[in-house]
Amino acid sequence: MRGVIIRGTLVAATSGALLMVFGGPAVAGRVIDAEGKQKNGDLAAQVAVIEYDTSKNGSGALAGPVSAVQTDWSPPPCWYAPKWSPDELSDYYQRMHNGMRNDPGIPPDAASQWNEERRNYIDGDYEDFNREKKGEGMWWGAVQNPNAPLDEQFTCSRLPFWADNGETPDVENIITPEILAGLAYEQIKVPGTEVMLAPGKKSKVNLPTWAWLDGGEFKPVSVTASLAVGGLDMSATTTATPRSLKIEPGTKDARLHPVSGECVINGDGSIGEPYAKGKADREPPCGVTYLRSSGGASYAMEATVTWEISWTGTGVANPQALPDGTFGNEQAVEVEEIQSVNR
């Protein structure tokens, strides 16, 4: 999509125009992995970049992001943060002014409004982009969360505004540790949930199938989001702790163990109890009994772990709750009838 955004309105333009997002291209953040390497592009020269430490994240081929169980909650779509020095904001407006002046596809009203906006920083409410206060503060602007729906990203529609170093502007959606915590939530990955099943390579009709995961498979994971710019230095760590495993057998013709299908996670990170010889007739602490053969095919059993999620951060020492998250994997389970021989 190409166009110009002026005071919250997207104006169509030809290819010569750049996308202007309330005063400049927004940068949501960069991810730093366990080796300290940046994982999503060279953004080091940008300001207002949120850094994510994912060194304590889940890993493995089956790892993936959690989905919030609270459907009316989502990480913030946009926020305000320090973005430019006086020289940087002046340069940005000048480059955009030149681009619009040389692009015949820009609507006249849009160009006029943009020029008026630019003049306001030259000799209007501000003078010469506050160059006389260089080093004493920064220009703040909107930053869009690229993971949010496009229309929601642009609800932060304020034009760039000035704040002295160390000052926190009294503006809605200003960056806070809680916002950082929500953004860290998006970066969390948890291990997959391919459980062990027994006895045998195939489950049997009317015989319990034991399901378990060995100790240490599931443990807390966390991501830290931080921002240090313009006198700000804040961070938040969002932690996901495994709470329970839910089994969906993939057919209505099954009985769960326990009946709820919710298997609690033991203190050592294990789930259920390993099957051993002699346990075939016992009820497993975690598992499923299939009541009908899969007919030469297989059932898509799904094992989903619920993760309890909370955060701590700058000025917030006690864990604060965020919505629980879930993540699961499907695995094929073939079920056959027990063969008997009559003599």
Side-chain angles (χ1 to χ4, degrees), residues 5-20:
I5 293 179
I6 297 181
R7 299 188 189 277
T9 302
L10 179 63
V11 180
T14 61
S15 60
L18 298 176
L19 180 65
M20 291 178 283

Side-chain angles (χ1 to χ4, degrees), residues 161-248:
F161 53 94
W162 179 265
D164 291 336
N165 289 336
E167 175 188 349
T168 302
D170 186 15
V171 173
E172 187 178 3
N173 295 325
I174 209 75
I175 191 70
T176 62
E178 185 173 6
I179 286 179
L180 290 178
L183 297 173
Y185 191 117
E186 285 187 313
Q187 300 292 329
I188 283 180
K189 286 187 176 181
V190 295
T193 50
E194 188 171 7
V195 298
M196 302 290 291
L197 299 173
K201 295 182 179 180
K202 298 179 182 179
S203 293
K204 308 294 184 183
V205 172
N206 291 326
L207 285 181
T209 296
W210 290 56
W212 77 93
L213 280 167
D214 293 332
E217 290 285 340
F218 286 93
K219 56 186 178 182
V221 299
S222 65
V223 171
T224 297
S226 58
L227 177 65
V229 64
L232 283 181
D233 188 359
M234 66 175 65
S235 65
T237 297
T238 299
T239 301
T241 303
R243 191 180 68 190
S244 63
L245 169 75
K246 184 175 180 62
I247 291 179
E248 297 286 351

Side-chain angles (χ1 to χ4, degrees), residues 15 29 36 63 65-68 99 119 146 154 183 187-188 213 226 272 274 277 284 289 300 332 339:
S15 60
V66 292
S67 298
R119 296 298 310 179
F154 298 115
L183 297 173
Q187 300 292 329
I188 283 180
L213 280 167
S226 58
K277 187 176 180 180
T289 298
Q339 301 297 320

Side-chain angles (χ1 to χ4, degrees), residues 16-52:
L18 298 176
L19 180 65
M20 291 178 283
V21 186
F22 309 124
V27 179
R30 56 176 177 164
V31 176
I32 307 299
D33 62 18
E35 287 75 37
K37 297 177 181 178
Q38 187 172 308
K39 295 175 66 176
N40 62 335
D42 183 12
L43 305 177
Q46 301 282 357
V47 296
V49 174
I50 295 172
E51 292 193 349
Y52 300 98

Side-chain angles (χ1 to χ4, degrees), residues 87-109:
D87 288 343
E88 288 167 337
L89 187 63
S90 173
D91 177 67
Y92 171 74
Y93 268 95
Q94 185 61 49
R95 285 186 289 109
M96 296 302 100
H97 174 70
N98 293 340
M100 296 182 69
R101 184 177 57 187
N102 297 322
D103 191 335
I106 298 293
D109 288 348

